[in-house]
Amino acid sequence: MAVPKICGIETEYGIIVRGAPDWNPVSASSLLINAYVATGVGSLDDHTGPIAWDFIDEMPGADARDLFSPEFAMPPEIETHLVNTVLTNGARYYVDHAHPEISTPEVTSARDVVVFDRAAEEIVRDSMAAANKMLPGDAEVVIYKDNTDRKGNAYGTHENYLLERQTPFGRIIDVATTHFVTRQIFTGAGKVGCELPGFGGDVPFQLTQRADHFEEEVGLETTLKRPIVNTRDEPHADSKKYRRLHVIVGDANLSETATLLKVGTSQFVFAMLEDGVLDDLAVLDDPVPTMWAVSHDLTLSKPLALADGSTMTALEIQQDLCARAHAWAETRGFDLVGGERSGRLVLDEWQLVLDGLATDPMTLADRIDWVAKKRLFDAFRARHGCGWDDDRLRALDLQYHDLRVGRGLAAKVGLRRITTDDEVQAAKTTPPTDTRAYFRGRVLQKYTSAVVAANWDSIVFDTGDEPLRRVPMLEPSRGTEAHVGELLDASDTVADLLAKLGS
Amino acid sequence: MAEREQIRKPSPQRNDEVVEEAPVDAEAGEALKSDIDDLLDEIDDVLETNAEDFVKSYIQKGGE
């Protein structure tokens, strides 16, 4: 039986410093985050500095394929020396490799992922403003919410989903691969050109930023030979009950609808997988070239070879999944996918977008990033009589992802909103109420100076006169407002809180 | 296999629905066109002054 599809999203942002060539991306990312922390908004105790991330449970080298691990594994290194902090909304804000990265708090619904992803954008904007005050003259930090420099260097937007441990990993691989390859038709953020060797001018514009950077079907890597299904087995939860599927194939979306669908359709797919209703889902014959082909096919009509010798298009496979999700929700309701409000929204938008893609994709210019870009670039090419190889188009392609107010084109193309400004502003500092992120965020707000460190599944407290106390949070669905809201309200000190938690 | 064959050919009824749900009226089309014209006017002001240099200098390190 399926478990609730608790989820979150991690975004690595592109970063440059204009007007100050001596800044490298690591120091610029550190400046960005430290400048935000120093504002004291949603982040720190101003007496002791940022709340540290606790690395004790990090094991990104653990491989879901267990026995095969030593043969394939190239465990990611953990960079414990770089800026790494926890925010009062339950998020993590840190320097990863040479990029600033924000991981949203754990949430139950796709709609909440959209809210916290937008809040992360606002945190980045505040960070740019704070950092620029520390730079000399006209120098400024500029952040891009994208996934590639178009020169072969990619960085990730990763999704995470809570899965039950007992589902055989082979089943997860088959279903996830089919979904990830075909969902590109609505998750793609669009890209001018192609970064795959040998494809050159044959692909003037494609659906996704990421497809060109995937070389393997399954594996542990994230930085080279990237796999469609990543096997990192680091549940950040009770490992006997759960796994966390770490999804690395997605694009960074600027459209709220695209983020909603990227996460929401995946919630439905994994819940249906665990309920055993996808056993006859189409299995792709050769996923990696198929992933490239789907991204490169603007007509959405390419037949994809399946393992049983037949073919389907990406759109047909998504229509099948969408129909199954509607039928599944009829009997199972929406509890496992974050409730009715978000679940119905996902189903409605999924159907509407697939219908639009089947008839005239350009009708979705207010919902789907690659369509919004294509419409703008087509109009630009018509006005200026230029080809796809014009540098101005490549510049526009980057500027779509520019997060500066007034510069970012995504904010100007008329993308439909799902969230409100008020809820996004609130989500910068306030945690979600229905996962353990509530406990993390509230504790940081209320007992800031007593929190020594925090991570996804524990918090370390210093009560003053006792040894440090670690409070484990191995169950992601506990520590909610319903569970601990009154307890937190009634506890004036950490000692009070720990006494009540222990009793 | 039989089920997959069915899926590959959406039923006629489904196609009818699709047409109804995605109306393209001329007025909306005109509004969209004028929106994009306004945006293109604005872009000429916003576009990085030296597109070639800007695109060349956007270099990131790999991540993840």
Side-chain angles (χ1 to χ4, degrees), chain A residues 354-372:
Chain A
L354 294 180
D355 290 346
L357 291 172
T359 50
D360 178 7
M362 286 302 126
T363 58
L364 302 172
D366 62 346
R367 281 181 162 81
I368 300 302
D369 285 309
W370 74 261
V371 179

Side-chain angles (χ1 to χ4, degrees), chain A residues 168-180 217-218 229 273 278 281-284:
Chain A
F169 201 69
R171 282 299 298 148
I172 296 173
I173 291 170
D174 284 347
V175 169
T177 302
T178 296
H179 182 52
F180 295 160
E217 293 175 22
V218 182
V229 175
L273 162 69
L278 297 183
L281 186 72
V283 175
L284 298 172

Side-chain angles (χ1 to χ4, degrees), chain A residues 176-451:
Chain A
T177 302
T178 296
H179 182 52
F180 295 160
V181 168
T182 57
R183 74 177 190 172
Q184 294 183 100
I185 58 177
F186 51 79
T187 61
K191 180 171 72 179
V192 174
C194 180
E195 293 170 275
L196 273 173
F199 282 74
D202 296 341
V203 184
F205 179 80
Q206 60 177 306
L207 306 188
T208 77
Q209 304 239 308
R210 292 282 282 171
D212 291 343
H213 299 279
F214 282 77
E215 301 174 57
E216 304 279 342
E217 293 175 22
V218 182
L220 187 60
E221 322 286 354
T222 57
T223 56
L224 52 112
K225 293 198 169 200
R226 293 183 184 85
I228 296 172
V229 175
N230 181 251
T231 55
R232 182 181 296 180
D233 190 5
E234 189 187 21
H236 297 312
D238 182 346
S239 61
K240 291 187 190 67
K241 285 171 73 178
Y242 301 119
R243 60 172 85 244
R244 168 182 65 118
L245 191 66
H246 181 236
V247 177
I248 68 170
V249 290
D251 281 4
N253 291 112
L254 279 299
S255 160
E256 294 188 358
T257 305
T259 301
L260 178 92
L261 288 180
K262 178 174 64 186
V263 174
T265 62
S266 303
Q267 283 186 304
F268 274 99
V269 166
F270 296 131
M272 289 194 289
L273 162 69
E274 290 177 345
D275 268 1
V277 299
L278 297 183
D279 292 349
D280 58 344
L281 186 72
V283 175
L284 298 172
D285 181 47
D286 195 0
V288 174
T290 305
M291 185 175 185
W292 301 336
V294 170
S295 183
H296 298 171
D297 174 27
L298 299 181
T299 69
L300 312 178
S301 62
K302 187 176 173 58
L304 312 180
L306 305 184
D308 66 3
S310 66
T311 64
M312 289 173 80
T313 67
L315 188 56
E316 285 167 345
I317 290 174
Q318 281 297 318
Q319 285 165 335
D320 176 31
L321 278 170
C322 183
R324 289 175 193 243
H326 276 86
W328 177 83
E330 287 283 312
T331 55
R332 290 290 260 140
F334 297 97
D335 288 352
L336 295 171
V337 291
E340 179 154 6
R341 183 187 186 195
S342 178
R344 275 209 193 284
L345 182 64
V346 170
L347 288 184
D348 290 349
E349 289 293 322
W350 197 356
Q351 187 70 58
L352 185 149
V353 163
L354 294 180
D355 290 346
L357 291 172
T359 50
D360 178 7
M362 286 302 126
T363 58
L364 302 172
D366 62 346
R367 281 181 162 81
I368 300 302
D369 285 309
W370 74 261
V371 179
K373 270 189 182 178
K374 176 84 166 35
R375 171 171 165 263
L376 177 63
F377 299 166
D378 282 345
F380 187 89
R381 289 191 305 126
R383 176 181 286 202
H384 296 281
C386 63
W388 281 107
D389 56 350
D390 193 292
D391 282 321
R392 288 172 298 177
L393 272 185
R394 293 174 187 274
L396 288 179
D397 190 25
L398 284 171
Q399 275 186 259
Y400 185 86
H401 302 267
D402 188 331
L403 286 188
R404 287 175 297 175
V405 175
R407 288 284 186 172
L409 295 182
K412 298 176 187 288
V413 295
L415 292 171
R416 194 174 154 275
R417 291 285 301 272
I418 290 169
T419 63
T420 65
D421 288 344
D422 285 348
E423 64 184 337
V424 170
Q425 281 301 316
K428 283 162 60 179
T429 53
T430 310
T433 59
D434 53 2
T435 67
R436 65 185 175 192
Y438 175 80
F439 183 74
R440 186 185 310 120
R442 279 292 311 274
V443 156
L444 284 170
Q445 287 169 349
K446 186 158 181 175
Y447 315 108
T448 318
S449 58
V451 178

Side-chain angles (χ1 to χ4, degrees), chain A residues 25-221:
Chain A
V26 177
S27 53
S29 299
S30 302
L31 170 74
L32 185 84
I33 297 168
N34 282 325
Y36 181 75
V37 168
T39 66
V41 179
S43 56
L44 86 167
D45 174 5
D46 49 9
H47 305 296
T48 61
I51 303 291
W53 188 258
D54 182 356
F55 287 96
I56 190 163
D57 297 322
E58 303 271 312
M59 43 175 193
D63 194 318
R65 296 165 302 177
D66 303 316
L67 293 172
F68 299 101
S69 179
E71 191 179 338
F72 293 110
M74 182 84 109
E77 288 177 27
I78 304 178
E79 299 159 313
T80 57
H81 60 289
L82 296 174
V83 183
N84 208 318
T85 190
V86 195
L87 306 182
T88 59
N89 68 357
R92 179 187 186 188
Y93 193 9
Y94 60 119
V95 182
D96 192 17
H97 300 278
H99 301 271
E101 173 162 348
I102 296 182
S103 305
T104 66
E106 309 91 320
V107 298
T108 59
S109 75
R111 192 184 181 286
D112 279 350
V113 168
V114 180
V115 171
F116 282 93
D117 184 59
R118 287 303 301 258
E121 287 179 23
E122 292 302 321
I123 288 168
V124 166
R125 287 195 181 96
D126 293 350
S127 304
M128 282 193 278
N132 290 343
K133 288 180 190 159
M134 299 181 179
L135 287 170
D138 293 334
E140 62 171 337
V141 181
V142 185
I143 300 296
Y144 296 83
K145 190 187 184 190
D146 65 354
N147 299 108
T148 168
D149 65 2
R150 283 75 165 168
K151 299 169 186 70
N153 301 308
Y155 30 103
T157 302
H158 298 173
E159 304 141 64
N160 296 288
Y161 301 93
L162 192 70
L163 268 59
E164 61 178 356
R165 174 61 61 172
Q166 68 188 53
T167 306
F169 201 69
R171 282 299 298 148
I172 296 173
I173 291 170
D174 284 347
V175 169
T177 302
T178 296
H179 182 52
F180 295 160
V181 168
T182 57
R183 74 177 190 172
Q184 294 183 100
I185 58 177
F186 51 79
T187 61
K191 180 171 72 179
V192 174
C194 180
E195 293 170 275
L196 273 173
F199 282 74
D202 296 341
V203 184
F205 179 80
Q206 60 177 306
L207 306 188
T208 77
Q209 304 239 308
R210 292 282 282 171
D212 291 343
H213 299 279
F214 282 77
E215 301 174 57
E216 304 279 342
E217 293 175 22
V218 182
L220 187 60
E221 322 286 354

Side-chain angles (χ1 to χ4, degrees), chain A residues 12 15 97 99 146 149 151 153-154 158 210 226 280 282 308 311 316 355 359 375 383 407 412, chain B residues 3-4 7-8 18 21 32 37 41-43 46 48 52 54-56 58 60-64:
Chain A
E12 288 178 357
I15 183 166
H97 300 278
H99 301 271
D146 65 354
D149 65 2
K151 299 169 186 70
N153 301 308
H158 298 173
R210 292 282 282 171
R226 293 183 184 85
D280 58 344
D308 66 3
T311 64
E316 285 167 345
D355 290 346
T359 50
R375 171 171 165 263
R383 176 181 286 202
R407 288 284 186 172
K412 298 176 187 288
Chain B
E3 185 171 331
R4 190 157 293 147
I7 294 158
R8 286 168 62 187
V18 166
E21 282 173 14
L32 276 176
D37 281 341
D41 291 342
E42 192 186 342
I43 279 173
V46 176
E48 297 287 343
E52 187 184 351
F54 170 59
V55 169
K56 271 192 191 142
Y58 188 75
Q60 298 291 303
K61 291 208 155 86
E64 307 174 70

